[in-house]
Amino acid sequence: MDSSISLAGQAHQAVAALLGTPAAWDEPIASRLRFHGEPPVFDSPHLLTLSAGAAIGAYALAIERWWHLATGQRQTVAIDWMQAACSLNPGHFQKQSGYVLPALSLLTELKADFYQTADQRWFFPIGSYPHLRDGVLDLLQCPNNAASLGAAIGRWNSHDLEEAFAAHKLPGAYARSREEWLAHPQGRLLASRPVIEIQKIDDSAPEPARAANRPLEYLRVLDLGHVIAGPVVARTLAEHGADVLRVTSPFMQDPFRQTIDTNIGKRSAFLDLDRAVDCQRARELIAGADVVVQSWRPGSMARRGFGPGEAAAIRPGVVYVSVTAYGDEGPWATRGGFEQLGQTVSGVAVREGGAGRPRVVPPYLLNDYLTGYLGAAGAMLALIRRAREGGSYHVKVSLARTSMWVQELGGEPAFDDDPRRPRRHFAEALAPTLEVRQSAYGPLEQLPPVAQLSLTPPRWDLPPAPNGAHPPAWRSN
């Protein structure tokens, strides 16, 4: 990307590339999307603020386009650079009753970090749930502390350990440079695919865009995702009035900090998709949905009868959004993964570390929220196609492809990558505006919606609900 143009100009270029050819939009993007404020600079070689502004701008313009199709009215979109930058990890600023919540559970999480292998590579294991933590510790035959994990991983070669993790369905990978990842079969495959991939998977009658007071008030979104990226897709659509129902298993609930962040604007219900009666209820919910979002390991939903093809058969015209770690095709198609592994395999972590030990980006999170915003943009683009030509659509986004996209945006030309230089904490330059809402958890301070539309300001009508607080049913309207 041309670094000689302004940051806003770079963001407009990135948004145009995400949304497709100019022929799909009837006027220059810059006339509808405006950035303001002072862009914060992260202690990173990557253009993190730019990536946040572009991803959010893409879905906001798609929302504006939907509003125009439905009402004939036009809006402008305004994005504050500070708010956009903070959206990479909004949980860091979140408070409950005045207290910041811890990012990790010290009782359940694996001591995830980069550990050196016998062949001098760096391996990142993840155990975000007890069964994953215990699986990693059983495989490595060590207790859950950094010294023991380092010693155990140091006895393995990187490739053998990565394959052993995959064989045991455990998330972990060794760090690669960008060049190494692009030479890898999975990296080559992802590089050949768009950042937001949209496939028409079946025919159906067109369903015209409708709106009266808010852009998405007539749309229903079934959120079958977990942890962060998938639920962020649905939460983003809830900003603009969509009726969003979150469905999760009572036996596999997200950590508390993620729940009160990603459940904003939604109702939340329990279903156990290993029970036949609950599967039938899920089919009834899909039959009434416009958008279905899921972020489980590829193949997991299809084995239960809820893959994209099955959803399209249940509900012709559905837009099905899949969030994966590495895509759903290729040699790594069945591998699960989490946020930091997208950074690890794609070259982001190696570049962040410079000549030293790899490290993740300063906000710690990169792919989860960006991928959620990109998935929301994809859902809207597919809904626009459905309004014009009909059809059911499969929208695909992945954590690793998002990390690749961030690198494609270019780098900070003046970044000092001396590994001996102390790194500033990512929040030192950040001071977001927060909003306070009352909830079942008491008063919550949280980042508000970032993209502001001029006629229909976004908002979440519902505070985050406890998991399972609502029945698994659509509202009567």
Side-chain angles (χ1 to χ4, degrees):
M1 182 164 290
D2 185 356
S3 60
S4 66
I5 63 175
S6 69
L7 189 65
Q10 294 179 68
H12 290 143
Q13 288 184 355
V15 170
L18 291 170
L19 294 179
T21 61
W25 307 86
D26 57 9
E27 60 184 356
I29 283 174
S31 67
R32 291 287 154 204
L33 174 61
R34 297 162 190 171
F35 295 89
H36 60 95
E38 185 66 25
V41 177
F42 288 97
D43 193 0
S44 169
H46 297 100
L47 300 173
L48 303 182
T49 298
L50 170 62
S51 66
I56 293 170
Y59 87 69
L61 279 187
I63 295 284
E64 194 279 334
R65 184 62 167 170
W66 177 266
W67 173 259
H68 180 235
L69 288 175
T71 68
Q73 298 176 316
R74 302 309 305 255
Q75 302 194 57
T76 56
V77 178
I79 294 177
D80 183 289
W81 284 118
M82 176 64 71
Q83 299 296 102
C86 294
S87 76
L88 290 171
N89 190 351
H92 176 81
F93 308 98
Q94 182 172 252
K95 292 181 181 180
Q96 180 190 18
S97 299
Y99 292 90
V100 175
L101 299 173
L104 304 175
S105 169
L106 300 179
L107 299 177
T108 61
E109 294 263 357
L110 186 79
K111 301 302 183 289
D113 204 344
F114 288 100
Y115 299 96
Q116 198 163 35
T117 60
D119 55 347
Q120 307 304 301
R121 304 303 295 256
W122 293 93
F123 192 88
F124 199 101
I126 292 183
S128 300
Y129 291 99
H131 73 287
L132 296 177
R133 175 204 61 203
D134 294 345
V136 171
L137 298 177
D138 287 346
L139 174 63
L140 296 176
Q141 289 294 290
C142 73
N144 188 17
N145 60 71
S148 298
L149 284 163
I153 288 173
R155 293 191 285 268
W156 287 78
N157 287 327
S158 55
H159 176 77
D160 294 341
L161 183 58
E162 193 172 72
E163 292 303 308
F165 265 64
H168 287 80
K169 294 187 175 181
L170 299 171
Y174 69 86
R176 294 163 168 83
S177 68
R178 184 183 183 193
E179 294 72 25
E180 287 178 309
W181 180 242
L182 291 175
H184 188 280
Q186 197 68 31
R188 286 199 306 270
L189 175 67
L190 287 177
S192 71
R193 302 293 173 81
V195 181
I196 305 169
E197 186 173 1
I198 302 175
Q199 293 182 340
K200 187 174 184 179
I201 56 175
D202 210 343
D203 293 322
S204 68
E207 299 182 38
R210 294 192 300 147
N213 300 304
R214 304 188 67 193
L216 307 186
E217 61 194 318
Y218 293 112
L219 294 180
R220 288 173 170 172
V221 179
L222 182 62
D223 179 2
L224 299 176
H226 73 126
V227 197
I228 297 179
V232 168
V233 175
R235 187 193 71 175
T236 301
L237 301 178
E239 290 180 13
H240 301 280
D243 179 10
V244 180
L245 179 64
R246 174 87 185 273
V247 170
T248 189
S249 166
F251 310 112
M252 187 66 74
Q253 298 186 44
D254 289 349
F256 177 70
R257 175 166 147 163
Q258 278 76 52
T259 295
I260 63 173
D261 174 36
T262 62
N263 270 11
I264 309 173
K266 309 174 184 179
R267 291 175 301 116
S268 178
F270 280 149
L271 285 179
D272 177 5
L273 297 185
D274 290 326
R275 297 177 55 190
V277 64
D278 284 8
C279 284
Q280 176 56 36
R281 190 74 197 101
R283 281 188 283 271
E284 294 168 1
L285 291 173
I286 291 173
D290 295 282
V291 179
V292 175
V293 182
Q294 72 87 20
S295 56
W296 294 90
R297 183 189 294 265
S300 175
M301 281 295 172
R303 286 193 296 273
R304 291 168 168 80
F306 303 113
E310 294 85 356
I314 296 169
R315 198 298 193 195
V318 74
V319 171
Y320 190 99
V321 182
S322 292
V323 180
T324 61
Y326 310 110
D328 62 356
E329 297 179 55
W332 281 22
T334 60
R335 296 192 184 191
F338 291 86
E339 151 74 58
Q340 292 75 29
L341 297 186
Q343 299 183 48
T344 297
V345 301
S346 67
V348 166
V350 168
R351 181 70 184 93
E352 288 284 334
R357 181 171 177 263
R359 54 188 182 184
V360 296
V361 296
Y364 194 72
L365 303 181
L366 174 71
N367 303 303
D368 270 334
Y369 286 90
L370 288 183
T371 305
Y373 306 143
L374 295 169
M380 292 311 306
L381 293 174
L383 287 166
I384 290 169
R385 284 186 61 182
R386 186 184 78 172
R388 289 171 167 163
E389 64 185 78
S392 298
Y393 295 88
H394 187 191
V395 177
K396 303 180 184 180
V397 288
S398 80
L399 304 178
R401 185 66 184 91
T402 296
S403 269
M404 295 167 71
W405 171 68
V406 171
Q407 294 173 92
E408 291 163 7
L409 294 176
E412 295 284 359
F415 178 74
D416 178 5
D417 63 357
D418 185 345
R420 298 167 297 180
R421 178 180 57 81
R423 191 181 214 183
R424 299 194 317 271
H425 189 273
F426 90 94
E428 286 182 15
L430 302 181
T433 298
L434 303 177
E435 63 183 9
V436 179
R437 61 175 52 84
Q438 297 299 318
S439 75
Y441 305 105
L444 299 175
E445 296 175 60
Q446 297 172 306
L447 194 74
V450 174
Q452 295 297 312
L453 276 67
S454 57
L455 295 181
T456 59
R459 67 178 188 273
W460 289 298
D461 289 331
L462 299 173
N467 292 329
H470 299 94
W474 294 114
R475 292 198 295 242
S476 60
N477 63 346

